[in-house]
Amino acid sequence: MGDSFGPQRPSFHIGKHDTARDGPLTDLQYGYLINQGINFATTPITNTHFKERVFKLVSDHLLLLKNNAEEATSTETGSRADPVIPPLTPADTSLFPSPAVNTYTAYTSPWIDLCSTVPFIASISRQVLNLELNYANFCGVRSIIIAGPGQDASQGGGNQALAQYSRAVQEALTIGSSLTFLIHMPMYREPVVEDQEVETLSSLQSPKPARPSTEIDLFAAWASWHHVRSTCSYSLRLFVALQIPRVMPEKDLQDRWFAEPLHYLTIGPGVFQKNKGGYPSLSRHHQDMIFTYMRLKTVPWILLCDVGPDASKFKADDASILSAANRPQLADDEFPSLSEAHNLAAERSQGQSVRPGADAHIAYLQWLEYQQPPFTPLESPTLTSFQDWLQSPLQPLSDNLESATYEVFEGDPVKYDQYEAAVIEALSEWKELNLPTSKEGVVVIAVAGSGRGPLVTRALKAAAYTQVNVEVWAVEKNPNAYVYLLRQNQTLWDGRVKVIKTDMRAWKGPVVSHSPEKGYIYGKVDILISELLGSFGDNELSPECLDGIQHVMAKPHGISIPHSYTAHMSPISTPKLYGEILARSATDAAAFSTPWVVRLFALDFVCQKVPGHPRFHQAWEFSHPIPESTLQNVEARRSGGIMGGGGGSMAGAAGANDHNSRYCHVTFVCRTQGVTHGLAGYFESTLYESKLEKTRGEKVEISTHPERIDRKSKDMISWFPIFFPLKEPISFPADTELEVSMWRQTDDTKVWYEWQIEAWTWVSRSTRIKVGSSGLCSSRKVACLM
């Protein structure tokens, strides 16, 4: 992985699973695997003796049913007279409590058939499962792998089988209340090779099933997993052990599994291919997928299945090879020198195994680990810890932020570089156009909502760069930040800034003069700078705040930075976040009503970009300053001065903020089947747009839009996306249109959002039907207070 001072990469945690093993590894075998580079191993819970006992029980019962027509009829209707498996005996298992047992991952018996549509077989299978997980839990095992369902709902009778399987897993979660469960799922159903078929209980009852169709439904296995975890209410103890296929599927399916709670990536012998030297390797497509999945906050572990170092050759009586008498004597010249030892360590750090007899598959994976791209600055431990972590949105008007919160905002140089560039452009063009100023010979700048003053510093730097005389005012309502601003003015700004403690909406403007006779005379501001934008652009009440301070801007040349901003959204699948919100909803009634701020990472954008329907739709736009006529109408509504009445709004208030209400209705196209758990929200902002003829239309911008952030503000981290959750996920078939309606609502005292998603699918050229709907979701209970 490279030394601790070099480039850092995700670490591979490699495990070993042998389907033919009958019991746990011996200490000698486990030690051998560890020396080979294996970090953990699986263990069966029961052995062949137990399997034979259960098979005999089933065979005897089937024979009895065959000889008794009455009992056969009752079995078809789900008779309760099914036999009960006796308790385990020491002969049935080699797993016992020990200091090492909690390092194992247990694997349930693969020969049970939880998907069986025969009640008797399904009952026996559930009994075996519950017996094994109960015993494993007693022994101290912490994680258990259950083989995935044998067929999907898209196959004949598959839905009934899947319902049986899902119900069994849900019951297992209840019984093993402290266990972590992993469902071993294929990425998709590859054609099965004849000799790979496993003997199951169902093979005792019925003839060999017909070979499945060669047609592959790529998303069928994912749909089966979705059925299981939905039945289990998105349990936070339920994960996926994802089987990597021999042939990598299309990117849409890889992205779908990327959003799921992956714990293991399992690799069988058929996935490896021989390179030119005859050694095992993985294709470039496999490598790219593994590199992508390893960037997850919880890095998935790699589990080698029936491939890699073989510990079975070490039997219990082989311990004699470790005795001192049989240990070979080493001559002095066999010990490496210090320089040789250093070179050996360097080679190992680059994944090059130099140990005699090292397993080729492990050596390759160690090399592959080193081939991963190093972590970027955006993948620092701090930022990675924020992946898919729910944060309540800020209430900047009703709450006073702490210094630590400001410090996080200030840790993003990209945002402030863009703001400084915008101020430089504004001052340069002001000078070139020879525009009038509010104060003779000086451009008056006000920073509204100054916080701890980073924008004030950037404004002063821009003035020095452009050699424009400025007068800077810092306006801040937070009394604690006000103290810090005063200190900054003493220590950093040399007293050049006038600091005002007030809500920006109550500020009357820069003081021009003061006398006992005339009182205070207030002037205007030429450039108004603010950083009031939220994750959705307007969700921290930037429109309301800037409306309230607009009266201090000079007319008609006053400039607002930012000049405008737009909100954008896209439906996403994010089962991890949905599971977290579902768990919170048990104690937080507003969990599904909250638009969460979250660094979305393990997600799948369920829609595709098609002509006329982009992957991200613009919801609405705000620009500043707003027309004077709008401000006059606001004041008239607030004072009840509308001719013939006219004041008031549908929300029951005066309607003074109705001009900041918004509505949109957009359509997204989904080519593949899937599920959406809510809407991901982003924003873009034009900080300044050139007014010169030669550069008219050129902009200084910032963006969190996934498709445009690299072009407009690459590596900016100040804003995480916003997530509007659905209380009930919407599952939809392939070729579905998701129609999203969204409102920005206000009653003059607060602002909230309402959103609704409907899924429509075409059944003919001219007719479509609704296949799902979220109902109307609202954040009014957690509205942003004005």
Side-chain angles (χ1 to χ4, degrees):
M1 221 196 80
D3 60 63
S4 58
F5 299 103
Q8 298 298 300
R9 300 169 174 83
S11 298
F12 283 7
H13 201 72
I14 305 172
K16 186 71 167 67
H17 172 65
D18 294 307
T19 56
R21 186 145 38 85
D22 201 36
L25 295 167
T26 65
D27 290 344
L28 181 62
Q29 291 172 331
Y30 206 178
Y32 168 74
L33 290 182
I34 290 174
N35 286 334
Q36 286 287 320
I38 294 294
N39 303 107
F40 69 101
T42 64
T43 181
I45 303 170
T46 55
N47 56 26
T48 304
H49 180 274
F50 178 70
K51 176 184 176 181
E52 292 173 349
R53 189 156 67 91
V54 174
F55 269 59
K56 184 177 186 306
L57 181 71
V58 172
S59 299
D60 291 346
H61 189 71
L62 289 174
L63 182 61
L64 180 65
L65 295 179
K66 183 178 180 180
N67 296 330
N68 190 320
E70 181 179 352
E71 290 184 15
T73 303
S74 66
T75 300
E76 292 173 2
T77 59
S79 170
R80 298 291 183 180
D82 298 333
V84 175
I85 299 177
L88 294 176
T89 68
D92 295 325
T93 180
S94 302
L95 182 69
F96 299 99
S98 70
V101 75
N102 61 359
T103 66
Y104 284 109
T105 296
Y107 205 111
T108 60
S109 294
W111 42 265
I112 61 176
D113 189 2
L114 298 170
C115 280
S116 177
T117 55
V118 179
F120 164 58
I121 299 295
S123 173
I124 292 295
S125 298
R126 285 197 306 274
Q127 288 184 55
V128 172
L129 175 66
N130 295 340
L131 196 69
E132 290 187 333
L133 69 90
N134 244 323
Y135 181 69
N137 187 45
F138 163 78
C139 289
V141 170
R142 290 292 168 258
S143 299
I144 287 186
I145 302 177
I146 303 176
Q151 62 182 119
D152 304 312
S154 58
Q155 300 173 340
N159 197 48
Q160 178 185 351
L162 199 55
Q164 287 273 52
Y165 180 94
S166 301
R167 178 64 182 83
V169 174
Q170 191 275 337
E171 184 179 44
L173 281 163
T174 304
I175 294 173
S177 58
S178 61
L179 294 171
T180 294
F181 289 83
L182 298 93
I183 307 301
H184 199 179
M185 295 294 305
M187 184 171 276
Y188 67 95
R189 304 284 183 184
E190 292 185 287
V192 178
V193 179
E194 193 77 21
D195 58 7
Q196 288 181 337
E197 295 179 0
V198 178
E199 180 187 26
T200 66
L201 290 174
S202 294
S203 61
L204 299 177
Q205 191 269 341
S206 58
K208 192 176 184 179
R211 293 180 63 86
S213 169
T214 55
E215 183 178 349
I216 297 175
D217 182 352
L218 276 181
F219 285 83
W222 171 84
S224 294
W225 155 251
H226 175 54
H227 186 289
V228 174
R229 60 99 176 279
S230 297
T231 302
C232 298
S233 301
Y234 285 77
S235 171
L236 299 181
R237 294 187 291 117
L238 189 63
F239 297 86
V240 175
L242 185 64
Q243 180 182 329
I244 305 304
R246 293 189 301 275
V247 179
M248 290 303 299
E250 61 186 49
K251 191 70 163 55
D252 283 347
L253 183 58
Q254 296 181 44
D255 291 344
R256 182 67 53 82
W257 282 111
F258 179 78
E260 301 297 340
L262 298 176
H263 196 0
Y264 289 174
L265 300 178
T266 71
I267 305 178
V271 180
F272 288 96
Q273 56 190 22
K274 294 292 182 67
N275 61 17
K276 293 180 180 179
Y279 293 101
S281 64
L282 296 173
S283 73
R284 171 56 60 184
H285 297 295
H286 286 88
Q287 294 178 38
D288 290 343
M289 187 215 68
I290 291 174
F291 291 170
T292 299
Y293 285 11
M294 287 295 164
R295 252 48 191 189
L296 288 163
K297 179 180 179 179
T298 304
V299 179
W301 295 356
I302 295 174
L303 182 63
L304 295 176
C305 298
D306 295 326
V307 67
D310 182 12
S312 63
K313 58 187 177 183
F314 290 98
K315 305 300 181 184
D317 55 357
D318 288 338
S320 59
I321 66 173
L322 296 182
S323 67
N326 294 329
R327 192 175 300 141
Q329 298 298 315
L330 298 177
D332 290 342
D333 58 2
E334 294 183 65
F335 289 92
S337 66
L338 289 177
S339 61
E340 291 172 336
H342 175 78
N343 293 334
L344 180 66
E347 290 173 344
R348 286 181 176 173
S349 71
Q350 298 180 21
Q352 300 174 7
S353 176
V354 294
R355 292 167 299 156
D359 181 79
H361 296 87
I362 296 297
Y364 173 76
L365 289 176
Q366 290 173 340
W367 173 85
L368 190 64
E369 178 182 12
Y370 187 77
Q371 299 309 304
Q372 297 176 100
F375 285 128
T376 66
L378 295 182
E379 293 173 317
S380 66
T382 300
L383 287 176
T384 300
S385 67
F386 280 105
Q387 283 184 16
D388 301 312
W389 183 58
L390 297 168
Q391 302 174 73
S392 299
L394 295 175
Q395 292 271 12
L397 289 182
S398 58
D399 299 335
N400 288 321
L401 304 183
E402 297 178 355
S403 180
T405 304
Y406 288 120
E407 189 172 358
V408 172
F409 297 157
E410 295 165 13
D412 181 5
V414 176
K415 173 179 70 173
Y416 294 107
D417 287 347
Q418 291 298 92
Y419 264 95
E420 183 177 338
V423 179
I424 288 174
E425 289 297 315
L427 290 175
S428 298
E429 294 188 7
W430 196 292
K431 182 167 64 173
E432 187 169 345
L433 293 170
N434 197 27
L435 297 177
T437 59
S438 299
K439 188 173 182 179
E440 187 175 352
V442 174
V443 176
V444 180
I445 297 177
V447 178
S450 301
R452 301 200 314 177
L455 284 182
V456 176
T457 301
R458 294 300 184 122
L460 293 171
K461 285 184 177 180
Y465 179 83
T466 57
Q467 297 183 342
V468 173
N469 292 328
V470 299
E471 179 180 282
V472 179
W473 294 73
V475 182
E476 176 57 50
K477 74 172 183 65
N478 186 339
N480 307 307
Y482 170 70
V483 176
Y484 190 85
L485 288 171
L486 292 175
R487 184 175 183 275
Q488 289 288 84
N489 199 26
Q490 293 172 346
T491 60
L492 182 63
W493 303 324
D494 298 326
R496 291 174 292 167
V497 178
K498 296 176 174 59
V499 181
I500 303 296
K501 191 195 83 64
T502 184
D503 187 314
M504 68 182 72
R505 296 169 295 179
W507 188 44
K508 295 182 180 181
V511 176
V512 176
S513 64
H514 172 251
S515 66
E517 298 81 16
K518 296 183 179 181
Y520 288 96
I521 304 299
Y522 299 97
K524 297 294 182 180
V525 169
D526 299 315
I527 300 177
L528 178 66
I529 308 172
S530 65
E531 53 175 332
L532 307 171
L533 299 173
S535 297
F536 205 45
D538 55 82
N539 60 298
E540 293 184 10
L541 304 191
S542 178
E544 285 73 18
C545 293
L546 293 180
D547 286 355
I549 197 175
Q550 181 171 316
H551 65 277
V552 307
M553 292 182 63
K555 304 180 185 62
H557 303 300
I559 294 173
S560 172
I561 298 176
H563 166 65
S564 63
Y565 36 93
T566 53
H568 303 260
M569 62 182 171
S570 184
I572 62 171
S573 173
T574 174
K576 291 181 181 179
L577 282 184
Y578 180 80
E580 290 280 355
I581 296 173
L582 187 63
R584 289 192 184 205
S585 66
T587 56
D588 181 4
F592 281 107
S593 303
T594 301
W596 297 96
V597 173
V598 54
R599 189 187 179 203
L600 296 170
F601 193 81
L603 82 161
D604 176 34
F605 293 107
V606 297
C607 64
Q608 286 74 37
K609 185 177 181 179
V610 299
H613 296 286
R615 187 168 239 183
F616 300 89
H617 271 287
Q618 179 176 316
W620 46 66
E621 180 178 14
F622 290 90
S623 61
H624 302 283
I626 62 175
E628 282 300 310
S629 58
T630 302
L631 276 183
Q632 292 168 6
N633 189 49
V634 167
E635 289 305 316
R637 280 176 173 265
R638 186 174 287 125
S639 62
I642 298 293
M643 183 68 70
S649 69
M650 295 299 293
N657 196 43
D658 280 5
H659 66 288
N660 284 325
S661 297
R662 294 290 189 273
Y663 166 71
C664 72
H665 183 87
V666 293
T667 301
F668 299 89
V669 176
C670 305
R671 294 180 305 168
T672 59
Q673 66 170 301
V675 59
T676 179
H677 299 97
L679 298 167
Y682 306 88
F683 81 93
E684 293 191 298
S685 176
T686 298
L687 298 178
Y688 183 77
E689 184 172 353
S690 177
K691 295 178 172 58
L692 299 177
E693 285 297 330
K694 60 183 179 182
T695 57
R696 188 174 297 277
E698 292 186 5
K699 302 174 181 178
V700 179
E701 299 175 279
I702 54 177
S703 173
T704 64
H705 190 299
E707 295 178 337
R708 300 200 278 258
I709 184 174
D710 285 349
R711 177 164 53 88
K712 297 185 177 184
S713 50
K714 182 176 174 59
D715 295 339
M716 186 177 69
I717 59 173
S718 288
W719 291 275
F720 295 155
I722 197 167
F723 177 57
F724 298 92
L726 302 181
K727 191 169 186 178
E728 292 290 340
I730 299 176
S731 297
F732 51 84
D735 298 319
T736 292
E737 292 180 345
L738 295 181
E739 296 198 357
V740 177
S741 299
M742 179 169 273
W743 296 261
R744 187 183 196 264
Q745 303 280 44
T746 178
D747 63 1
D748 294 352
T749 64
K750 56 184 176 291
V751 172
W752 70 94
Y753 297 95
E754 294 174 356
W755 59 97
Q756 183 177 37
I757 303 180
E758 298 173 295
W760 296 82
T761 189
W762 293 92
V763 293
S764 70
R765 288 181 177 271
S766 59
T767 306
R768 63 177 191 162
I769 60 173
K770 185 189 291 188
V771 294
S773 175
S774 66
L776 185 63
C777 308
S778 175
S779 66
R780 188 165 188 168
K781 292 181 180 179
V782 290
C784 201
L785 303 177
M786 295 169 59

